[in-house]
Amino acid sequence: MVLDIRNVHVSLGSTPIVHGVGLSVAAGELVMLLGPNGAGKSTLLKAVSGDAPARGEIFVSGQALADWCPQALSRHRGVMPQRVDINFPLTAEEVVRLGLSAKSPGRADELVEHLLSDLEISHLRHRLVPGLSGGEQQRLQLARVLAQIFDTEGDRLLLLDECTSALDPAHQQLVLQRVHRLAREQGVAVLAVVHDLNLAAQYADRLVMMRAGRCVLEGAAREVLTPEVLDAVYGFQARVVELPEGYPLVIPLGQTRAQTAPLKPVCRQAS
Amino acid sequence: MMTPSGRLDSTPALLILGSAALAVALVSVSSGAYPLSVADILRVIAGKEAADPVASMVLLEVRMPRFLLGFLVGAVLAVCGAVLQGLFRNPLADPGLIGVSAGASLAAIAVIVLGNTWLGGWLALTGDWALPIAAFTGGSLTVLLAWRIANRSGQTAVATLLLAGIAINAVAGAGTGLLTFYASDEELRSLTFWTMGSLGHAGWDDLVLGAPFMVLALVLAPWLARPLDAFLLGESVVGHLGYRTDTVKKVAIVVVGLGVGAAVAVSGLIGFVGLVVPHLVRQVLGASHRVVLPFSALLGGTLLVAADSLARVVVAPAELPIGLMMALIGGPFFLALLLRTRVM
């Protein structure tokens, strides 16, 4: 397993947010974390990225997170935060280069060009970041994170916190296709927090549903995205249609109750 | 000459700024109450007898130490400003704004006023180094304090930082006021020197005392360049990119404490260099600290020496305190910056 989380608890200040979560991601697997606002998805991701103090065990490539040398870890684990605000006049290219360690200048140029054009932002290369749109900045951050782990030998882990939140539908598809391809072709393990259920259904190998700081269900899209589960976890009614492409499509039909209402038992517990 | 992003390339920038620095240096050492000819200056520097015997004395004992100290103080203040702005991810951070200079100067003033009484032990312990060490300690403690107050759960709250700076400045100001109240006439004269900033008394002694701290700060600063670039993306990103965030912060605090503390110790309070210079450099050469730090040092030194030369001539034969001169230039610039930035 590239990522192995066992019985992890996270508190922010004195408020417990994540309660005893266990989860693993294998090489080449794209796992998406789902759940309503405040379910603890981003906090769990922060525990893995080292930004939130966690109790329990987190292993990356079989080695406890705390035992990693920061420099080495940064070559194996790329982290894309929910937001990055830059208010200094850095160019897009300079931001991507921040992700590169000591690589030969020729190789670095080639890599920057490849990543920028792959995410369709090579025309922004010399533009100042504060002047870019939210979606452009989001793709730029992804390019920077990918640069960080691009040439690494061995296990690689990519943590994405709502990496498509500022993107238009076409670029959401583009970004997730790239991430999916990275997992398939290069064996990168990906753990991503998403809100868009249909994007999750389309791209994830496995979905993990969280509610109130716990993982309540884990499985393939057609097992997790059912009207019963969506009602129990999110509190809305939905019609779920099986598409000929092989994944379900969720059509929301309206909110049925407040999300703070007591949780109905979820039909199937994670195996 | 220009990069594709519309910036000046660093090589021509270095040539332009380097020539400006040389020109300013020449003007600075030649002008004053006793004008020196360029020929004499060159002859003395080359180690030969000057045509005018007084020229050699004036150059070596008065003008040279003053120029070197001015350049070093300007360079250090500008670099410390750049470091703080990167660390706080805010182009408006400045050693003066967050109270570091006030803390350093309060400690220096305490040594001046209480050196013969309460702080006699300190003076006995540290000897000639009492002032710079006290100023350094005061500066470091205030950086640490501002940092602690503004930092909640890994995020630096900019508004809190500036408010903390106001509070620290107020407390340090009150302390300075209290000490002024108790100061004797002679001590008051030295006090005025601190609060307005001056290079008027600069000699080789000051250079020997202050230079080691300032040079150390300038030598440590380049180590911060890459991590500070990462800081521009957010504090958590620094860790994600493989830097030890806490170590980086500590080194930054030591650099600012050393640099500003020593600068205040030898030249008093000189504001706005740390704010104006890095901002100018970023506008022309970009925000990467591998460019911002060295060019800030060069421009800061040049600007302060230029301001000092100006301060000597505008009201000749008297001279304006250099702190006053910089505030006259920096104040309006800061206001313009506030109007342009709008969002803090």
Side-chain angles (χ1 to χ4, degrees), chain A residues 52-102:
Chain A
R55 280 187 296 122
E57 294 172 303
I58 301 173
F59 294 95
V60 174
S61 258
Q63 190 175 336
L65 200 57
D67 295 341
W68 275 90
C69 144
Q71 193 71 54
L73 185 58
S74 73
R75 298 292 134 213
H76 291 273
R77 183 196 65 185
V79 184
M80 182 165 160
Q82 216 172 82
R83 279 185 72 110
V84 171
D85 291 317
I86 299 177
N87 41 15
F88 282 76
L90 288 172
T91 64
E93 180 177 351
E94 284 171 329
V95 169
V96 177
R97 280 181 186 275
L98 282 178
L100 299 169
S101 65

Side-chain angles (χ1 to χ4, degrees), chain B residues 159-170:
Chain B
T160 319
L161 170 72
L162 295 178
L163 288 175
I166 292 174
I168 291 171
N169 270 320

Side-chain angles (χ1 to χ4, degrees), chain A residues 49 51 69-71 74-75 77 79 81 84-91 94-95 97-101 126 128 141 144 148, chain B residues 4-7 85-86 89-91 226 229-230 232-234 236-237 239-244 282-283 285-288 290:
Chain A
S49 65
D51 296 316
C69 144
Q71 193 71 54
S74 73
R75 298 292 134 213
R77 183 196 65 185
V79 184
V84 171
D85 291 317
I86 299 177
N87 41 15
F88 282 76
L90 288 172
T91 64
E94 284 171 329
V95 169
R97 280 181 186 275
L98 282 178
L100 299 169
S101 65
H126 301 299
L128 296 181
Q141 287 307 324
R144 192 257 310 161
Q148 209 181 311
Chain B
S5 44
R7 294 168 179 166
Q85 286 151 20
R89 305 181 62 217
N90 188 322
R226 277 188 75 97
D229 283 349
L232 300 186
L233 306 194
S236 60
V237 178
H240 301 159
L241 286 172
Y243 301 105
R244 292 177 197 269
R282 276 194 292 265
Q283 292 300 311
L285 296 166
S288 167
R290 274 174 292 177

Side-chain angles (χ1 to χ4, degrees), chain A residues 14-244:
Chain A
S14 56
T15 319
I17 306 284
V18 173
H19 312 276
V21 168
L23 176 70
S24 60
V25 185
E29 199 180 15
L30 173 45
V31 176
M32 290 195 179
L33 280 174
L34 298 174
N37 295 142
K41 312 177 294 291
S42 291
T43 306
L44 180 63
L45 211 67
K46 281 197 177 113
V48 182
S49 65
D51 296 316
R55 280 187 296 122
E57 294 172 303
I58 301 173
F59 294 95
V60 174
S61 258
Q63 190 175 336
L65 200 57
D67 295 341
W68 275 90
C69 144
Q71 193 71 54
L73 185 58
S74 73
R75 298 292 134 213
H76 291 273
R77 183 196 65 185
V79 184
M80 182 165 160
Q82 216 172 82
R83 279 185 72 110
V84 171
D85 291 317
I86 299 177
N87 41 15
F88 282 76
L90 288 172
T91 64
E93 180 177 351
E94 284 171 329
V95 169
V96 177
R97 280 181 186 275
L98 282 178
L100 299 169
S101 65
K103 290 188 170 69
S104 66
R107 174 76 186 133
D109 285 344
E110 188 187 316
L111 204 53
V112 169
E113 183 50 45
H114 168 76
L115 288 166
L116 288 175
S117 65
D118 208 30
L119 292 165
E120 296 182 357
I121 41 174
S122 52
H123 59 293
L124 305 174
R125 187 175 188 142
H126 301 299
R127 289 263 304 274
L128 296 181
V129 180
L132 302 181
S133 78
E136 289 165 343
Q137 293 204 26
Q138 203 159 32
R139 279 179 282 151
L140 178 64
Q141 287 307 324
L142 184 62
R144 192 257 310 161
V145 174
L146 295 183
Q148 209 181 311
I149 58 170
F150 201 84
D151 274 346
T152 310
E153 304 264 326
D155 287 346
R156 283 177 292 171
L157 172 66
L158 193 55
L159 303 173
L160 307 171
D161 195 354
E162 295 186 34
C163 68
T164 55
S165 61
L167 302 178
D168 61 61
H171 284 117
Q172 288 182 336
Q173 295 292 329
L174 171 89
V175 160
L176 287 176
Q177 270 166 19
R178 295 293 182 268
V179 171
H180 188 256
R181 200 178 66 194
L182 218 58
R184 274 297 161 283
E185 294 173 6
Q186 300 190 37
V188 175
V190 185
L191 181 62
V193 170
V194 283
H195 272 302
D196 190 317
L197 301 173
N198 289 320
L199 285 177
Q202 190 184 352
Y203 287 103
D205 295 315
R206 185 154 50 96
L207 298 180
V208 175
M209 187 66 86
M210 286 186 75
R211 163 96 206 228
R214 292 187 167 83
C215 284
V216 288
L217 187 64
E218 187 176 341
R222 70 168 62 80
E223 297 166 326
V224 173
L225 300 178
T226 64
E228 298 75 30
V229 172
L230 296 176
D231 181 35
V233 174
Y234 288 95
F236 73 90
Q237 283 190 330
R239 178 174 302 151
V240 178
V241 185
E242 184 73 22
L243 295 177

Side-chain angles (χ1 to χ4, degrees), chain B residues 192-232:
Chain B
T192 319
F193 162 81
W194 293 106
T195 44
M196 292 216 270
S198 170
L199 293 167
H201 303 277
W204 289 108
D205 294 355
D206 298 291
L207 206 58
V208 169
L209 286 179
F213 293 106
M214 291 192 274
V215 169
L216 187 59
L218 289 177
V219 167
L220 283 174
W223 183 85
L224 290 167
R226 277 188 75 97
L228 280 179
D229 283 349
F231 258 100
L232 300 186

